[in-house]
Amino acid sequence: MTNDLLGRHRAVLPDWLALYYEEPLEITHGEGRHVWDAQGNRYLDFFGGILTTMTAHALPEVTKAVSEQAGRIIHSSTLYLNRPMVELAERIAQLSGIPDARVFFTTSGTEANDTALLLATAYRRSNTILAMRNSYHGRSFSAVGITGNSGWSPTSLSPLQTLYVHGGVRTRGPFASLSDDAFIAACVDDLLDLLGHTRPPAALIAEPVQGVGGFTAPPDGLYAAFREVLRERGILWIADEVQTGWGRTGEHFWGWQAHGRNGPPDIMTFAKGIGNGMSIGGVVARSEIMNCLDSNSISTFGGTQITMAAGLANLNYLLEHDLQGNARRVGGLLIERLRAVAAHVPAVREVRGRGLMIGIEITKPGTDEADPRTAAAVLEAAREGGLLIGKGGGHDTSALRVAPPLSLNVAEAEEGAAILENALRSIP
């Protein structure tokens, strides 16, 4: 049955639509932190639909909210008042930390970043954007145009002029050998030098932790230091929280808060986990930025009632059960366990991350050279052991990504770590 489905997939879908595994997997259902395939095999899910299943599979509170809302009305567009949308916007505006915030809902993180770029360029009357090397911001024409990761940039054409800044990757590049303070100072000097050679940009867009880039991050405080430079010049700061938001990093509710010395970002984007699998994205911005557009606009599917009901139920569950605290506690145990394993595996260059957002970088032993074949082999071995993980990285996709639902318990963390240990030790 799976082979038949794979053949049908290949006959009607694009060749560039990636599938994991030599024998691709059809997931039929899930519960909690587990999913099952079409053959009845059970897996511990440490990737959650690319960080979208934030709380748990088939979370009763979310499925109940979706079912009840579907029985009333599913969709009406933004042309009509929408109570669930207003209620979720109120919660997110308050949680964002942005003063006098306005919220616009989209259907994905790509569309959210696209909207943020539209707002920033319209507000600043500039089409120049600063972005981070090794970054990823989505699949649309404008988002691809600012993505600093060649593996996810199919065209060099763009409606924007993009300038790339150092700092998103702590352990690679020309400043890797410096101390954290010196690293930040060197990146700020690089930014200042760059700004001296270009017309004023509209904004800097940055992921506090780079997701597709392999869960890499700068030292805490880098974006606060950048913020000082940007604010002096009126340049906006867009925090892309599509993967880092909602407490996943454990230490903070938003990734930007690790760099919050100089206040919140001007614009923040979100998506993925808030819907727990439902299609929700969005933008939060100060009112004068959000309201700067001088033409009509609506969103046909952004903020539709059924997704907003799911988002409200999911957010309530997240806060009431302190899943941020759980991510900090269980994630801390998991990362230390994985570091202990990696110390005996020469192919592991680094185990990094925070909370339940952990990257394991695979290289050829004794070098910094990426080893995507070995990373893919570990992915396969983990599946054979009953564990699903992801992969990414700006260096030939050689980083394994570990991002379970935030309700992961200690026993499941230990189980997943044991499977990963066996998979890593299987490396020839």
Side-chain angles (χ1 to χ4, degrees):
M1 292 294 290
T2 297
N3 287 336
D4 177 59
L5 185 61
L6 177 60
R8 290 163 60 192
H9 173 103
R10 288 174 172 165
V12 296
L13 296 172
D15 291 345
W16 44 259
L17 196 63
L19 287 168
Y20 273 176
Y21 307 116
E22 292 180 7
E23 296 182 6
L25 187 67
E26 179 191 359
I27 294 175
T28 58
H29 62 287
E31 182 179 347
R33 276 71 55 194
H34 291 87
V35 295
W36 284 258
D37 68 15
Q39 284 71 47
N41 300 307
R42 188 179 83 153
Y43 303 90
L44 186 58
D45 185 3
F46 270 25
F47 204 37
I50 319 179
L51 291 79
T52 54
T53 307
M54 178 171 67
T55 47
H57 290 281
L59 186 70
E61 289 81 353
V62 172
T63 56
K64 181 174 182 287
V66 168
S67 177
E68 290 179 350
Q69 183 61 56
R72 294 191 292 270
I73 186 169
I74 292 175
H75 168 74
S76 68
S77 89
T78 56
L79 290 170
Y80 305 94
L81 286 172
N82 178 333
R83 189 173 300 274
M85 181 171 69
V86 172
E87 290 176 352
L88 185 55
E90 288 171 339
R91 299 289 300 281
I92 293 173
Q94 186 274 324
L95 289 166
S96 74
I98 296 175
D100 194 22
R102 299 292 187 274
V103 181
F104 177 76
F105 289 105
T106 67
T107 59
S108 69
T110 291
E111 191 186 351
N113 284 330
D114 204 58
T115 303
L117 295 169
L118 172 65
L119 291 170
T121 54
Y123 183 78
R124 289 276 293 156
R125 303 185 69 81
S126 167
N127 76 329
T128 301
I129 294 293
L130 301 172
M132 304 304 295
R133 299 178 185 189
N134 196 53
S135 60
Y136 175 81
H137 298 286
R139 187 191 42 76
S140 69
F141 189 43
S142 68
V144 163
I146 61 164
T147 285
N149 186 320
S150 62
W152 293 85
S153 301
T155 175
S156 61
L157 300 175
S158 174
L160 303 167
Q161 178 186 17
T162 309
L163 305 172
Y164 293 102
V165 181
H166 279 295
V169 182
R170 177 65 183 91
T171 61
R172 285 185 180 270
F175 307 142
S177 63
L178 302 177
S179 69
D180 283 354
D181 288 345
F183 180 94
I184 291 173
C187 291
V188 169
D189 286 344
D190 173 70
L191 174 61
L192 286 166
D193 181 69
L194 181 63
L195 292 174
H197 295 282
T198 185
R199 295 187 61 81
L204 165 72
I205 185 168
E207 306 155 272
V209 178
Q210 294 181 327
V212 168
F215 292 169
T216 62
D220 288 355
L222 173 74
Y223 294 119
F226 279 3
R227 180 83 157 124
E228 293 181 13
V229 173
L230 301 175
R231 182 176 281 163
E232 289 174 358
R233 293 157 177 79
I235 302 168
L236 304 179
W237 174 26
I238 304 170
D240 178 346
E241 296 275 357
V242 169
Q243 296 196 33
T244 48
W246 319 108
R248 177 164 288 282
T249 64
E251 297 171 10
H252 303 286
F253 195 75
W254 305 109
W256 69 259
Q257 290 171 320
H259 310 270
R261 185 179 72 239
N262 291 313
D266 301 290
I267 303 173
M268 183 180 76
T269 61
F270 61 85
K272 289 193 181 288
I274 182 60
N276 205 44
M278 298 293 282
S279 297
I280 304 177
V283 184
V284 190
R286 300 198 321 266
S287 60
E288 69 270 22
I289 297 172
M290 186 67 81
N291 294 333
C292 76
L293 302 184
D294 59 1
S295 59
N296 292 325
S297 193
I298 63 167
S299 184
T300 302
F301 286 108
T304 197
Q305 284 91 334
I306 197 164
T307 61
M308 297 295 96
L312 279 165
N314 197 40
L315 182 58
N316 286 338
Y317 185 92
L318 175 95
L319 296 173
E320 290 169 3
H321 292 80
D322 187 23
L323 294 193
Q324 177 186 338
N326 191 66
R328 182 178 63 252
R329 292 185 297 272
V330 179
L333 292 171
L334 180 57
I335 195 169
E336 289 308 314
R337 175 82 159 78
L338 293 175
R339 282 175 174 159
V341 169
H344 303 285
V345 180
V348 177
R349 178 179 182 270
E350 181 183 21
V351 176
R352 55 182 175 248
R354 54 184 64 190
L356 288 172
M357 194 172 188
I358 303 168
I360 305 169
E361 186 174 349
I362 306 296
T363 56
K364 295 181 179 178
T367 76
D368 284 343
E369 185 180 350
D371 192 350
R373 287 188 179 181
T374 297
V378 175
L379 195 82
E380 295 279 356
R383 176 197 170 173
E384 288 299 313
L387 179 72
L388 305 184
I389 57 175
K391 60 181 179 177
H395 297 274
D396 298 318
T397 317
S398 63
L400 304 172
R401 294 199 285 165
V402 175
L406 302 189
S407 57
L408 186 78
N409 62 43
V410 172
E412 291 163 340
E414 286 289 347
E415 179 188 353
I419 297 171
L420 259 177
E421 177 176 7
N422 290 335
L424 288 166
R425 289 184 182 276
S426 72
I427 297 172

